[in-house]
C-alpha cells in the first residue's frame, strides 16, 4: 500500500510523527508473522520542500502530487486548540490547498484518513457530509454546530465510513494508524500495539470531561452547575428546567443540539465522573459513594460504571 502522509504549515507534530512511527513499526515487525502482509510504502508529502510544523520544526516533504497515485491519504491534525481560531484556520486561504487535495482525492473515491482537529479539514472540504465520523471529544459541540450534515459520534475512537476513516483526540493518531495496519493484518496491528504499549481504546467516553463540554453553551453550563449541586439526590427534568427558568422542552432540545445526548444521560455522566473520583481518592464503600451520587443501591452504580467506563469498581479503585 502506498500511503501519503500530508505535512502542512502548522501541522500537529505528534499527529504527524505518530502516523509515521506506527506505520514504520508495522513495516519493521512484519517479518515476525508467519504470513506477513505487504509492506507500507509511506511518503511524507507537502506543498513545499520543507514544511514548518506547529512546534516550529522543519519537515522535508515530497511534492503533494504524490498523493495522486497513493492508496491512502492521511491528514494529521492542525496544531490549534482554540475553537474560534481553529475554525478560522480550516476555512482560511492558507489551508485551501489542503482542502482541495482532500476533495480531489474523494472525488476519485480514494480513501482518506484524519484525526483530532484534522477532521475539521475533512469536514470543511465537504467529504464528511452524510457519513459517520468522529473527532476530538471536547470539540464535538463546535464541530456539530459547524457541520450539521455530518453524522458525528464523538464517543468512538475510530470510525470508518465509505472510504473515510476518522479518529478522536490528539493521540487518536496512534489509533488511526493502528486501524490502517489492522485493515491489512489484525495480528500485526495487535503486535505493534503490544510493542508500543498501546491499550485498546474503542471509545473516547472514558476520557470525556462533562464540565468541559458544558462550557460551549450558557444554558448547558448552568444545567451542569445545577446538576452538580444536586448529585446526591434524585431529581427530575422538570425541577432542573424550573430552576433554570426554561421549559423542559427547551432544556431537552438544547442538550440534544449541543451535546447530542439527553439531560438524563448527561447527569449520569456527571455521577459517573464523581463516583470514579471518589473511588480513586477515598476509602469510602461503594454503598456510601452510591448515595453521594444519587443512587439508593450500589448495584445500580456498579452497572452504570461498567457501562460507561468498561471497568469494574475494583479496577477503577486500583487505578
Amino acid at each position: 500500500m502506498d500511503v501519503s502522509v500530508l505535512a502542512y504549515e502548522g501541522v500537529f507534530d505528534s499527529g504527524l510523527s505518530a502516523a509515521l512511527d506506527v506505520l514504520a513499526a508495522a513495516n519493521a515487525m512484519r517479518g515476525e508473522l508467519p504470513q506477513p502482509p505487504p509492506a507500507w510504502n509511506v511518503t511524507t508529502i507537502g506543498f513545499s520542500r520543507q514544511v514548518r510544523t506547529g512546534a516550529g520544526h522543519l519537515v522535508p516533504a515530497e511534492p503533494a502530487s504524490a498523493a495522486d497515485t497513493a492508496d491512502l491519504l492521511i491528514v494529521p491534525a492542525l496544531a490549534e486548540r482554540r475553537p474560534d481560531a481553529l475554525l478560522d484556520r480550516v476555512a482560511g486561504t492558507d489551508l485551501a490547498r489542503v482542502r482541495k487535495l482532500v476533495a480531489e482525492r474523494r472525488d476519485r473515491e480514494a480513501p482518506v484518513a484524519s484525526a483530532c482537529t484534522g477532521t475539521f479539514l475533512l469536514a470543511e472540504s465537504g467529504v464528511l457530509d452524510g457519513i459517520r465520523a468522529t473527532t476530538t471529544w471536547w470539540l464535538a459541540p463546535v464541530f456539530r454546530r459547524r457541520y450539521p450534515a455530518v453524522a458525528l459520534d464523538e464517543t468512538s475512537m475510530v470510525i470508518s465510513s465509505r472510504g473515510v476513516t476518522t479518529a478522536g483526540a490528539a493521540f487518536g493518531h496512534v489509533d488511526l494508524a493502528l486501524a490502517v495496519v489492522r485493515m491489512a493484518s489484525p495480528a500485526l496491528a495487535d503486535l505493534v500495539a503490544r510493542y508500543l504499549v498501546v491499550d485498546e481504546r474503542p471509545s473516547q467516553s472514558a476520557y470525556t470531561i462533562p464540565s468541559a463540554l458544558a462550557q460551549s453553551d450558557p444554558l448547558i453550563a448552568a444545567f451542569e452547575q445545577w446538576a452538580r449541586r444536586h448529585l446526591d439526590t434524585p431529581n427530575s427534568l422538570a425541577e432542573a428546567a424550573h430552576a433554570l427558568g426554561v421549559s423542559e422542552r427547551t432544556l431537552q432540545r438544547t442538550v440534544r443540539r449541543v451535546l447530542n445526548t439527553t439531560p438524563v444521560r448527561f447527569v449520569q455522566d456527571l455521577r459517573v465522573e464523581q463516583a470514579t473520583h471518589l473511588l480513586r481518592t477515598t476509602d469510602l464503600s461503594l454503598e456510601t459513594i452510591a448515595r453521594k451520587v444519587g443512587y439508593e443501591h450500589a448495584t445500580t452504580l456498579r452497572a452504570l460504571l461498567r457501562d460507561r467506563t468498561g471497568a469494574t469498581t475494583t479496577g477503577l479503585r486500583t487505578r
Side-chain angles (χ1 to χ4, degrees):
M1 175 182 282
D2 289 330
V3 179
S4 290
V5 181
L6 180 63
Y8 56 92
E9 294 296 320
V11 70
F12 178 53
D13 293 64
S14 294
L16 175 63
S17 60
L20 297 174
D21 287 345
V22 170
L23 292 174
N27 277 335
M29 297 175 194
R30 287 171 54 247
E32 298 187 30
L33 298 182
Q35 296 179 320
W40 286 266
N41 179 29
V42 183
T43 304
T44 302
I45 64 170
F47 299 105
S48 59
R49 289 185 178 182
Q50 283 192 324
V51 178
R52 189 173 296 277
T53 68
H57 298 116
L58 292 177
V59 175
E62 297 296 320
S65 57
D68 294 344
T69 57
D71 299 301
L72 173 67
L73 171 65
I74 297 179
V75 183
L78 174 66
E80 179 55 73
R81 291 177 50 87
R82 299 165 298 170
D84 290 343
L86 172 63
L87 294 179
D88 288 343
R89 286 292 312 280
V90 299
T93 56
D94 60 328
L95 293 179
R97 288 183 294 181
V98 176
R99 300 193 302 271
K100 185 174 183 288
L101 178 63
V102 170
E104 288 175 348
R105 295 297 294 153
R106 288 307 296 150
D107 284 344
R108 300 175 189 174
E109 299 185 350
V112 299
S114 188
C116 194
T117 54
T119 60
F120 281 72
L121 279 165
L122 267 58
E124 194 70 29
S125 66
V127 305
L128 298 183
D129 288 356
I131 67 173
R132 291 184 67 240
T134 189
T135 191
T136 178
W137 64 263
W138 59 275
L139 287 172
V142 179
F143 188 103
R144 185 171 288 110
R145 185 165 58 246
R146 175 82 169 189
Y147 311 111
V150 181
L152 184 67
D153 177 8
E154 68 273 25
T155 65
S156 296
M157 188 63 75
V158 179
I159 290 179
S160 291
S161 179
R162 302 181 196 174
V164 181
T165 303
T166 52
F171 289 100
H173 287 84
V174 174
D175 303 84
L176 180 70
L178 284 173
V180 171
V181 176
R182 188 169 287 111
M183 291 174 189
S185 173
L188 182 55
D190 292 341
L191 182 64
V192 172
R194 292 180 68 179
Y195 269 102
L196 298 182
V197 195
V198 179
D199 293 330
E200 184 178 3
R201 300 177 293 182
S203 174
Q204 294 189 86
S205 298
Y207 304 93
T208 301
I209 303 172
S211 57
L213 293 176
Q215 299 312 307
S216 59
D217 183 271
L219 178 57
I220 303 300
F223 176 48
E224 184 242 348
Q225 293 174 7
W226 181 90
R228 286 191 184 279
R229 292 195 298 269
H230 298 83
L231 276 187
D232 59 343
T233 59
N235 47 68
S236 68
L237 180 63
E239 291 174 311
H242 178 74
L244 298 173
V246 297
S247 68
E248 292 181 50
R249 182 177 176 81
T250 296
L251 182 56
Q252 284 180 320
R253 292 179 66 178
T254 305
V255 172
R256 173 64 68 182
R257 173 177 55 81
V258 176
L259 304 179
N260 196 36
T261 189
T262 65
V264 170
R265 189 174 178 87
F266 181 65
V267 172
Q268 287 177 339
D269 288 341
L270 296 176
R271 287 177 166 145
V272 165
E273 180 187 62
Q274 179 64 7
T276 300
H277 172 72
L278 292 173
L279 281 168
R280 292 176 176 173
T281 60
T282 74
D283 294 325
L284 295 174
S285 68
L286 186 62
E287 290 74 16
T288 301
I289 292 174
R291 289 193 293 272
K292 284 182 173 294
V293 296
Y295 294 110
E296 184 178 353
H297 303 292
T299 53
T300 304
L301 177 60
R302 183 180 287 109
L304 183 62
L305 287 169
R306 179 178 284 276
D307 177 65
R308 297 299 171 83
T309 68
T312 64
T313 52
T314 301
L316 290 171
R317 198 184 282 281
T318 55
R319 285 183 190 175

